[in-house]
Every structure is written in C-alpha cells, then in structure tokens.
Amino acid sequence: MFRTVLSKAYYRVPTSLPAVSGGALGKRAAYARRLYSDKPGETQPKKEEPKKEASSTEASTDKASDDAKAPPAGSEEISKLKTTLAEKDAKIKELKDAYLRSLADAENIRTRSKTEVENTKIFAIQKFAKDLLDTVDILELALKHVPKEHVEDKANNKSLADLFDGVVLTKSNLLRALESHGVKSFDPLDKPYDPNTTHALYQAPVPGKTPGTVFAVEKRGYILNGRVLRPAQVGVVLDPSGN
C-alpha cells in the first residue's frame, strides 16, 4: 500500500520544473529533474567523455615525452659491444702484423741458411786449396830455375830432363785436380793493375811499357768459384813522371 501511494505521488510530480536561477539552487533543481525524469537514460548523470579523452591525451603526451627523454632500450649495451668489437679488431690487426713479420723473418732465416749451406759446400776446400797453392808455387819456382839449354840437351842431361818432365807433369796434375774443384789460376801479365785481384810487390820504370800495367808475375793468382783465393803477386810499371 505504501508503494502504491509513493508511486501516485511520484507521478504527480511535474516532469519539467521551472528554471530556477541561483547557483546552488539551480544545480539542485537540475539534479531533481534528472532524478524524477521518466526517461531511463536521464536517471544517471552523463559521464564527461571529453575530459576523459583530454586526460588520456595528456597521459599519452607525457608518456611520449618521457620516452623521448629516456635513452633507447639497449643503447648502452650496443655501445659496449661496439667498443669491444673495435678492440678485438685492433688486436686482430696487431696479431696479423706480428704473424706476417714472423713469416718474413722465417723466410729471411731460411734464405740465409740456404745461402750459408751452399757457400759452405762451395768454399769447403778453401783452406785446403790455399795450402796446396804453396806446393804449386814451389814446383813453378823449381821449373823456372832449370836452365833451358840443359833441358833441351837430353843426350848429356837425360836425368835432369826426365826430372824436369816429371815435375811438369806433377804440376799439371795438381792444377787439374784443383780446377776440378773450382780453383782456377790467372796470369795478369801485361794487363792493367787491378787491386782487387793483384798485389803489387814493387814498381819500376820499364821502357816501352805502359805505366800502370803488370810487367812481372812472381806468383800466379787463383780464384775459387768466382772468389779470389789468392791475389797474384806482381811488379807494376812505374810512371817516370811520378803520376
């Protein structure tokens, strides 16, 4: 019964109230109209959508601003990786350079070793051959001091002639053996004096000879595989003017 009376009273309330001026009173009247309105959509106050959109827009703007101010995710790690990579590249370059230098040093050592081995093989008999040259000099000196007429007179000097021939053959065989091992003799007689291959024992003016040429050979010179084993000992023509 109470609900029936309340509903009748409710329906007696006019749906539209006269506008009331005044701040607080006007707001209350508007609220009452919405409260007792017959339209279902007007029973509750509408939400202020523009304010919400504005607040969400402001939040998005603030978030975008924060994102712009904040460093990109992982940038510090990428920077560290780049630094590490640069250090590794420098280390690789350094190791590669050291490796190439080691290869060059090894190749130089190999070349030097090969050259030394070849020179050792070629000049292994240098000292031995040089000692034999004294024997060759003695044989040549002996043959030089034998009078030529005594050698030619074989009827009266048969023993001397045979000895002479034996010494000549010994000298020839010895020189042939030396030559088979790369030792060759040279005679600079009547050639310009060369300090690289000859050694001047004395100088003397010689008429009819060009100054600076070799006019006498005391000992022949020898070469071992292109290297001077012993320079020739010679006499050189002196220029009378002293030049």
Side-chain angles (χ1 to χ4, degrees), residues 31-177:
Y31 179 74
R33 283 197 301 271
R34 288 196 301 270
L35 181 61
Y36 295 99
S37 175
D38 295 337
K39 298 179 181 180
E42 297 180 356
T43 57
Q44 293 181 359
K46 295 181 181 179
K47 297 180 180 180
E48 298 180 357
E49 296 296 336
K51 292 183 178 180
K52 183 178 180 181
E53 292 177 358
S55 62
S56 63
T57 304
E58 292 176 358
S60 300
T61 305
D62 294 341
K63 185 177 181 182
S65 177
D66 293 340
D67 292 342
K69 292 179 181 178
S75 61
E76 184 177 354
E77 185 177 356
I78 292 174
S79 178
K80 289 182 180 179
L81 290 176
K82 288 183 178 180
T83 303
T84 304
L85 183 61
E87 292 176 355
K88 296 296 183 184
D89 289 341
K91 187 66 175 178
I92 290 172
K93 185 177 180 181
E94 181 181 355
L95 292 175
K96 185 177 180 180
D97 183 66
Y99 173 70
L100 293 176
R101 289 178 182 275
S102 299
L103 287 180
D105 292 340
E107 185 63 26
N108 291 335
I109 292 173
R110 190 181 299 110
T111 303
R112 275 200 307 270
S113 299
K114 184 179 180 180
T115 304
E116 289 177 359
V117 169
E118 291 177 353
N119 289 339
T120 302
K121 291 180 179 179
I122 292 174
F123 302 106
I125 65 167
Q126 180 173 347
K127 188 174 184 305
F128 177 71
K130 198 170 184 179
D131 291 339
L132 287 180
L133 295 182
D134 293 334
T135 304
V136 176
D137 294 337
I138 292 172
L139 294 175
E140 286 183 345
L141 187 60
L143 294 175
K144 186 184 295 186
H145 285 80
V146 175
K148 188 177 181 180
E149 59 274 11
H150 291 176
V151 175
E152 293 176 352
D153 188 6
K154 293 184 179 181
N156 297 324
N157 301 297
K158 186 176 183 304
S159 298
L160 180 60
D162 293 340
L163 179 61
F164 184 86
D165 293 338
V167 173
V168 170
L169 290 175
T170 302
K171 174 193 169 186
S172 299
N173 288 335
L174 185 56
L175 289 176
R176 233 183 347 260

Side-chain angles (χ1 to χ4, degrees), residues 13-35:
V13 178
T15 56
S16 60
L17 296 177
V20 181
S21 61
L25 186 59
K27 290 182 180 180
R28 291 179 181 178
Y31 179 74
R33 283 197 301 271
R34 288 196 301 270
L35 181 61

